[in-house]
Amino acid sequence: MIIVDKYVYLFKDGNKDMASVLGGKGANLAEMMSLGLPVPNGFTVSTLACQKYYENNKTLPQDIIEEIYKTIENLEKETKKQFGNKNNPLLVSVRSGARVSMPGMMDTILNLGLNDDIAKSLLVKTKNKRFVYDSYRRLILMYADVVKGYERNMFERFLDDYKQKLNYQSDLDLDGDDMEFITKHFKEIYKSMAGDDFPSDPREQLINAIGAVFKSWNNERAIYYRKLNNIPSEWGTAVNVQEMVYGNIGTNSGTGVAFTRNPATGENKLFGEYLMNAQGEDVVAGIRTPENIDKLKTDMPLIYEEFSDIAKKLESHYKDMQDMEFTIENGKLYMLQTRSGKRTSKACVKIALDLYKEKMITKEDAIMRVEPERLEDLLHKSFRIEDLKEHTPITKGLAASPGAATGAIYFDAISAIKHHKDGEKVILVRLETSPEDIEGMHHAEGVLTVRGGMTSHAAVVARGMGVCCVSGCSDIIIDEESKCLKIGNITVREGEQLSLDGTTGNVYLGSITLEPPVISGDFKEFMQLVSSVKTMGVRANADNAHDAKMAYDFGAEGIGLCRTEHMFFEKERIFHFRQMILADTLEEREKALNYILPYQENDFLSLYKIMAGKPVVVRYLDPPLHEFLPKEESEITSLAKSLNKSTEDIIEKIASLKEFNPMMGHRGCRLLITYPEICVMQTKALIGAAIKAIGEGIKVTPEIMIPLVGSINEFTYLKDIVTKTADAMLKEANLKIKYLVGTMIEVPRATLIADEIAKHADFFSFGTNDLTQMTFGFSRDDAGKFLKDYYAKGILSSDPFKIIDEVGVGSLVKLAIDKGTSMNPFLSLGVCGEHGGDPKSVTFFNEIGLDYVSCSPYRVPIAALAAARSAIKSCDRK
Ligand code: PEP
Ligand code: MG
């Protein structure tokens, strides 16, 4: 129980729920003690005392010192030993322990309570000179370092010189006399630095040590760690004062670390290591190779049995995999720590699932144990850890599409494709990508761009394809002529190896070994749990058979966005598409479109087949036309030739399509209004595919989505074309097929007139990429350049193209939902912007009542898990 004005708690007075006051370590020591486990006795000086220490000008207030002294008396009664009593001395460790674990960030002092007299009497008692003076010299060094802040190297140098003089290889060669000699010299070094003798009063040692650990809360590495992990600096640390137990007192003693399950694989088997006749430090220092915990079974069968019983007890008590520290002192086992163990993503999923199957936790608990982003590690290739350690990043860009890639660099799509076809693994490096690069991106292991943000073309397309991408890597200078890139004084030429980590944004020189994603049975089973809990649908953004298949395999409940423009880029079609764009008459345009029609119909049919009756939302042509035209002079000339036109005519036409602001220009429904024949062709292709699919026994309800609608007449004009075309086809086929015509809501004005639009639309799909772009007025392709200044200056805390801006863009979405459903309660509501795959945004979309999110195939499981977690949280709130 937490008591106001109480700053010091004996372990027996605390419990696991008191981590805010006792720190994680203190709370768990108290809990282990209350479970009757063998924990060395002790007490915790609370985090509140730490706060008081800072308020009191970094000194412990007298009332807290008095409380510590009082608690020592109680501890003496508990342990039947006395602090400072040479006949029966109590020696303690002083360790930090914040509310959340901050491994190695703060300071520790061991063997406190030793002085010359106590060392002598301990020697009589233990008859182990090496142990006694090893402990004493360690105390002097730790005290000098932690309490006094003296450099350790004076001590370390003396020790090294001493060992060298005697030709010793390691500390293990030092015997009892050596340790006594070293202790004597350490005291001299201490005196030469402090001007005073090393304090022989254990109470003085203790109070100074507690203050020093509090002070270490604000050392540089702790501050850095807190920043990285969002740990508030006001929390402070607690300090645990605990009776020392020794694993280095003889061959019947030892120390170790173990997990209740394998933290790498999740396997339900004790996993860990130990060292006999050693202290914790020795295990960490790696001087000796620790033994596998399994060997303890033969070394000390009774201890092993006791330990594995305790491990089971702790795991079922905490209902989670535990990471434990233990010490064996003269054949007796002591538990020094337990906490929830860190684990890989694979283990995280397996452990959550297994704990559920073992009936230790509920299905909902299991789902809440896995953070959605964790699944990302299971869905992409990654670098082999050992190999990665050998490499240092040469630069860093935006982590635009996760995964890892290694390959030879090429600076244009054509070269990338050619070399890939020759069997080489390639990385496509571009200043920025455009739809023209799609095929090249498909053939590349990874994409690296100098420009572009998280929703730039490269990022969106790469994520959709599951290709690793680092974008906006502005340190890179591309030298097109010499076909090389430069980063500072490093030059990488075409064909040389580079490695990209799309999960961190790091770029490495040379190649790094990759490991494939493993979609294990556990992962699949876990996703079944997720599906059974979530209420919001998860669809995928996919526009080709490969992506659709992947989306289906990853559990997508349909396609929420098929960007039809991507279908025009394939070899046979791009020529006719360009012919259509460059046509001078309607007749020419229709002729070109007629060539494309069967291809597009086939594409739609293959999507219907793959999705096997699940919904497929097809969005009509969206990007500005100039994106489809060639840029290189040679390509323009050859296009002119094949079109039987003059190069000048084509150049003029391309120039006439140039816009200052293409993202706000002639695109989306605006294009279809200028060229209704495109809308007719796409409708014919889609309805034609639906008729064929139905003929093959597939249930299909075509969903047609008009992009970039901002006014009601835009929508009704195009809907009229769609329905006339579709109805005529169905009449001719003598078929009654239900089809839906809906719109993207991605222009702010559409949100304001959503009620009007809903009178005519069957569904809304929020295009939050464009909606964010137009609401903020930030170009989605360029904003990355200056947004980093916004983060640095606290103007924005995150990328609004990645995590939905709930206050602004989110309010517009809510407004459109309210207005839309007030007019049409059956309106289906989805989101297909990149935010549909971001867990925080998915939570928001679930809370405001969207029917589904749609995201890139690779993010489907992540979005599904986020949706399930949000459903659980909403249930808990009710
Ligand atoms: C959007 O704007 O959110 C969207 C999905 O469309 P696109 O990214 O193709 O513009
Ligand atoms: Mg859009």
Side-chain angles (χ1 to χ4, degrees), residues 5-8 62-71:
D5 287 342
K6 182 171 166 70
Y7 297 99
V8 190
Q62 200 49 42
D63 57 331
I64 296 182
I65 295 179
E66 295 303 326
E67 202 179 329
I68 293 171
Y69 286 159
K70 259 223 163 73
T71 317

Side-chain angles (χ1 to χ4, degrees), residues 152 169 218 296 340 475 505 523 544 620 766 772 825:
R152 295 172 76 104
Q169 298 305 311
N218 269 344
L296 193 63
S340 280
D475 287 350
F523 184 22
N544 58 58
Y620 283 7
F766 292 93
T772 300

Side-chain angles (χ1 to χ4, degrees), residues 407-431 437 440 443-448 478 480 483-485 492-498:
I409 59 164
Y410 291 96
F411 296 98
D412 61 276
I414 295 170
S415 311
I417 296 164
K418 181 184 171 301
H419 286 273
H420 174 252
K421 288 191 173 155
D422 291 346
E424 201 173 7
K425 296 221 176 302
V426 302
I427 302 260
L428 178 64
V429 183
R430 302 284 287 150
L431 202 55
D437 294 315
H443 288 83
E445 303 301 306
V447 178
L448 175 63
I478 296 185
E480 301 264 358
K483 297 236 173 274
C484 68
L485 65 80
V492 191
R493 296 182 193 290
E494 186 173 74
E496 289 181 350
Q497 297 284 312
L498 215 58

Side-chain angles (χ1 to χ4, degrees), residues 486-532:
K486 290 188 177 134
I487 304 165
N489 51 14
I490 300 173
T491 302
V492 191
R493 296 182 193 290
E494 186 173 74
E496 289 181 350
Q497 297 284 312
L498 215 58
S499 297
L500 311 179
D501 187 336
T503 312
T504 59
N506 284 337
V507 179
Y508 302 87
L509 204 56
S511 62
I512 307 178
T513 318
L514 292 167
E515 296 198 313
V518 187
I519 302 177
S520 66
D522 292 316
F523 184 22
K524 224 178 182 170
E525 261 188 80
F526 179 76
M527 289 315 295
Q528 281 159 359
L529 291 192
V530 165
S531 295
S532 71

Side-chain angles (χ1 to χ4, degrees), residues 561 563 619 622 667 744 746 767-770 780 832-833:
L561 171 63
R563 291 179 165 103
R619 183 187 69 185
D622 184 58
R667 59 175 285 228
M744 293 196 73
E746 51 185 345
T768 46
N769 300 336
D770 275 311
R780 55 195 268 196
C832 61

Side-chain angles (χ1 to χ4, degrees), residues 413 417 428 430 433-444 447 457-458 461-462 465 467 543-544 547 563 565-570 627-628:
I417 296 164
L428 178 64
R430 302 284 287 150
T433 65
S434 75
E436 256 191 312
D437 294 315
I438 287 198
E439 212 190 335
M441 292 173 76
H442 236 303
H443 288 83
V447 178
H457 179 269
V461 174
M465 290 175 177
V467 170
D543 39 66
N544 58 58
D547 292 358
R563 291 179 165 103
E565 60 269 19
H566 292 167
M567 297 167 155
F568 298 130
F569 275 97
E570 280 183 25
E627 286 192 10
F628 297 90

